[in-house]
Amino acid sequence: MSTVKKAATALISVFHKEGLEPIVRKLDDLGVTIYSTGGTEKYIKELGVRVIPVEEVTSYPSILGGRVKTLHPKVFGGILNRQDQESDVAQLEEYNIPQLDIVIVDLYPFEKTVSSGASEQEIIEKIDIGGISLIRAAAKNYKDVLCVSSMDDYELFLDLISEGQGSTTLEQRKAFAKKAFDISSHYDTAIFQYFDDSKEQGSFKISEQHGKVLRYGENPHQRGYYFGDFDSVFDKLHGKELSYNNLLDIDAAVNLMEEFRDESPTFAILKHNNACGLASRTTVKEAYLDALAGDPVSAFGGILISNTPIDGPTAEEIHKLFCEVVIAPDFEDAALEILKGKKNRILLIQKKAVLSDRIVRTCLNGYLVQDKDLKTDSKELLDYVTKNKPSDRELDDLIFASKICKHTKSNTIVLAKNGQLCASGTGQTSRVDALNQAIHKARTFKFDLDGAVMASDAFFPFPDCVEIAFSAGIRSVIQPGGSIKDHLSIDYCDQNDMAMVMTGTRHFKH
């Protein structure tokens, strides 16, 4: 039997009718018999196109307030019958069931209804039953039926039937079936997520329909993909295609800068997901220059992000640096003209989008899922554990350093002074190594650490870190606390007039 099928009939029942008219008219021109129901039937009639109500086929009206319209053997028999099996064809004739060659059905907008803040009853009513059943049936029987399950495919479908004069190949029908199962599985996942509000079901489901093939993964020999609606978070104004590593760095940059939302102009430079420079100042230009001073070597090829629109004078300074990406809430026209001078430089305007509050990563043969670390240390929650108390300036720097520390790979130590990142030790197996790395780096770039502060992502099990910090000129420390030997570090600070505050919150980042 030929795999090419010429359609003689179509069932159309859709919620979204935008773009449907050209399809209806083309099917009519091709002599295709159209069946429909409810609002779609009325729509087709108003176009002046002949349409047969489904009720004429089933001999049943739409009942239960529209909840049951197409759930009937005469509808599903017309979709699920196997044309290459004589017994199926015979039963169609016996029960007077019309063969349905094309099924055009979409789903109630469940996700949109949930996000609108609708009532529970309104949301429940948007759980599609008939539509998803028709989609699954038609997609299952792709050997004989073509299923169009989204208005996003209307144009492709119209081109297909126009070029083939109503005929489609098995390969084409299978491709549409694949899309249909993508839509139906995503829809069911969204419904489960709505009911699983406590996240305690013991079942993990995730579905994302926006996908993009990247040039490669973390390295050129690895394939890479991004699944997500990037355009809902950013407007991309200029530059080359984003890479896998670009996206990881952008994610790190956005989460870090979220700590400084609505604060004074703050600029950060990141490399390999860690801040190598960050400063808060009265102007964005000053913030950028002091962030760059934190590590002008690592800044080469980095990701730049500002919490403030970038102006022309700042852009002139940025333009002197080779950087992969620049992110800001906006760019002045003069800044754009300058920054577009490098054709590959990626320029992104960050929108006020809602980001995920969970972190997912693969682990062994499964997944690890956790809440995102959304707790930011604040002055009001500090525990002042030493005799000497930090000054107001030191308190500001301690919170500043703690915010950076939270977004730096563990083990980490962050050194800061006057609203500027002096240096950090990142991703070390020992906290002492992280501190020594930070001190060495700060001195390499000529920072005076006298009066600087130190932040740690986790507690000090021994006093060695405060001893090293004191020798470097640091006089104020912020750390979570929680070690059974906290008193050793506290005692050392008291003996040397150092100030230490504890947050009670660990900020590991692996």
Side-chain angles (χ1 to χ4, degrees):
M1 183 176 290
S2 172
T3 61
V4 176
K5 298 277 185 180
K6 185 173 179 63
T9 58
L11 170 64
I12 308 177
S13 181
V14 297
F15 184 89
H16 301 96
K17 298 173 181 63
E18 300 88 342
L20 185 63
E21 181 179 349
I23 290 174
V24 171
R25 295 199 182 281
K26 173 54 69 174
L27 291 173
D28 188 49
D29 289 344
L30 292 170
V32 174
T33 300
I34 299 174
Y35 297 88
S36 189
T37 184
T40 309
E41 176 196 342
K42 179 182 178 184
Y43 173 83
I44 295 171
K45 282 181 177 178
E46 289 174 350
L47 293 178
V49 174
R50 181 176 176 273
V51 57
I52 299 175
V54 168
E55 290 85 350
E56 289 188 11
V57 177
T58 64
S59 300
Y60 267 91
S62 172
I63 61 174
L64 306 181
R67 279 191 166 197
V68 180
K69 291 181 284 191
T70 56
L71 294 169
H72 193 282
K74 282 199 171 184
V75 174
F76 282 86
I79 296 171
L80 286 167
N81 72 91
R82 293 155 293 189
Q83 287 290 291
D84 58 355
Q85 294 199 15
E86 292 182 4
S87 59
D88 283 14
V89 174
Q91 284 190 323
L92 291 187
E93 294 177 359
E94 179 182 356
Y95 296 107
N96 194 26
I97 299 172
Q99 163 69 24
L100 295 173
D101 302 312
I102 297 171
V103 173
I104 304 176
V105 178
D106 63 5
L107 299 171
Y108 292 154
F110 179 81
E111 288 179 281
K112 187 176 180 180
T113 305
V114 172
S115 62
S116 72
S119 68
E120 181 177 20
Q121 186 55 42
E122 290 175 300
I123 291 170
I124 297 302
E125 288 303 318
K126 287 297 185 290
I127 297 177
D128 207 312
I129 303 300
I132 203 160
S133 301
L134 291 167
I135 286 172
R136 288 177 64 85
K140 174 180 179 176
N141 200 28
Y142 66 86
K143 284 181 65 177
D144 295 305
V145 182
L146 189 145
C147 178
V148 182
S149 52
S150 170
M151 62 184 295
D152 294 338
D153 292 326
Y154 283 0
E155 185 176 350
L156 175 62
F157 171 70
L158 183 59
D159 290 342
L160 202 67
I161 59 172
S162 298
E163 292 171 8
Q165 290 298 295
S167 296
T168 59
T169 66
L170 178 65
E171 183 180 15
Q172 290 167 339
R173 295 191 297 277
K174 190 172 184 178
F176 272 85
K178 177 182 176 181
K179 292 183 179 182
F181 284 121
D182 178 30
I183 286 171
S184 66
S185 63
H186 179 81
Y187 195 77
D188 284 337
T189 297
I191 295 169
F192 171 78
Q193 299 286 22
Y194 171 74
F195 281 96
D196 188 39
D197 54 352
S198 67
K199 309 300 180 188
E200 295 176 356
Q201 179 72 20
S203 179
F204 172 66
K205 292 179 175 62
I206 189 168
S207 178
E208 178 53 64
Q209 292 183 299
H210 298 88
K212 183 177 183 180
V213 179
L214 304 174
R215 285 176 289 159
Y216 51 81
E218 202 162 3
N219 299 292
H221 63 277
Q222 297 169 265
R223 288 184 296 178
Y225 310 88
Y226 173 70
F227 295 97
D229 188 1
F230 186 84
D231 293 339
S232 70
V233 184
F234 296 103
D235 284 329
K236 184 170 181 279
L237 305 181
H238 182 73
K240 63 182 179 181
E241 288 296 310
L242 287 154
S243 71
Y244 182 97
N245 292 330
N246 287 155
L247 288 163
L248 284 177
D249 282 329
I250 289 168
D251 179 68
V254 167
N255 283 292
L256 171 60
M257 195 52 69
E258 185 69 18
E259 303 287 348
F260 299 93
R261 178 188 287 197
D262 301 325
E263 294 191 12
S264 60
T266 301
F267 211 107
I269 304 172
L270 289 89
K271 199 74 170 289
H272 297 294
N273 308 161
N274 295 305
C276 58
L278 195 150
S280 295
R281 293 292 182 261
T282 56
T283 70
V284 65
K285 178 181 175 181
E286 291 173 329
Y288 167 70
L289 290 174
D290 283 349
L292 179 63
D295 187 347
V297 175
S298 295
F300 182 85
I303 305 294
L304 280 57
I305 186 167
S306 170
N307 70 346
T308 306
I310 293 177
D311 55 24
T314 307
E316 288 177 357
E317 296 296 334
I318 293 173
H319 194 56
K320 299 173 184 177
L321 174 73
F322 168 71
C323 56
E324 290 274 335
V325 182
V326 184
I327 307 166
D330 205 353
F331 295 84
E332 292 185 358
D333 290 343
L336 278 180
E337 184 176 353
I338 295 166
L339 294 174
K340 285 182 177 180
K342 297 287 179 67
K343 68 176 183 178
N344 288 330
R345 181 185 286 143
I346 298 164
L347 304 179
L348 302 174
I349 290 180
Q350 184 180 348
K351 303 176 184 178
K352 292 182 179 179
V354 177
L355 302 179
S356 174
D357 59 1
R358 292 200 297 171
I359 296 173
V360 180
R361 66 198 314 180
T362 57
C363 181
L364 301 176
N365 61 346
Y367 302 89
L368 282 173
V369 182
Q370 67 170 343
D371 296 335
K372 185 180 284 186
D373 184 358
L374 298 175
K375 188 169 183 179
T376 298
D377 297 328
S378 63
K379 296 177 184 179
E380 296 77 21
L381 300 176
L382 297 180
D383 186 9
Y384 297 82
V385 297
T386 52
K387 296 175 183 177
N388 193 23
K389 302 298 184 284
S391 67
D392 289 343
R393 180 196 64 79
E394 287 174 329
L395 269 177
D396 289 340
D397 280 343
L398 287 169
I399 297 300
F400 174 86
S402 176
K403 290 177 178 179
I404 301 171
C405 196
K406 171 183 166 182
H407 294 275
T408 305
K409 295 289 185 181
S410 300
N411 289 312
T412 184
I413 292 288
V414 169
L415 306 180
K417 184 177 179 180
N418 297 325
Q420 181 182 23
L421 172 62
C422 300
S424 59
T426 62
Q428 299 301 301
T429 54
S430 159
R431 203 162 305 283
V432 170
D433 287 345
L435 175 55
N436 285 328
Q437 181 190 56
I439 292 171
H440 172 74
K441 190 173 182 180
R443 287 173 174 167
T444 298
F445 295 112
K446 309 303 180 185
F447 280 99
D448 178 7
L449 293 179
D450 285 339
V453 305
M454 174 174 73
S456 174
D457 59 340
F459 63 62
F460 300 125
F462 304 103
D464 44 11
C465 281
V466 289
E467 293 170 4
I468 296 168
F470 177 78
S471 298
I474 293 161
R475 296 294 181 267
S476 196
V477 179
I478 185 169
Q479 58 125 332
S483 169
I484 60 173
K485 295 182 179 180
D486 275 345
H487 66 278
L488 297 179
S489 295
I490 295 171
D491 290 346
Y492 182 88
C493 288
D494 283 340
Q495 292 162 13
N496 293 276
D497 294 325
M498 292 180 72
M500 179 184 287
V501 296
M502 293 184 177
T503 65
T505 303
R506 188 181 72 186
H507 292 294
F508 270 168
K509 186 172 187 284
H510 296 108

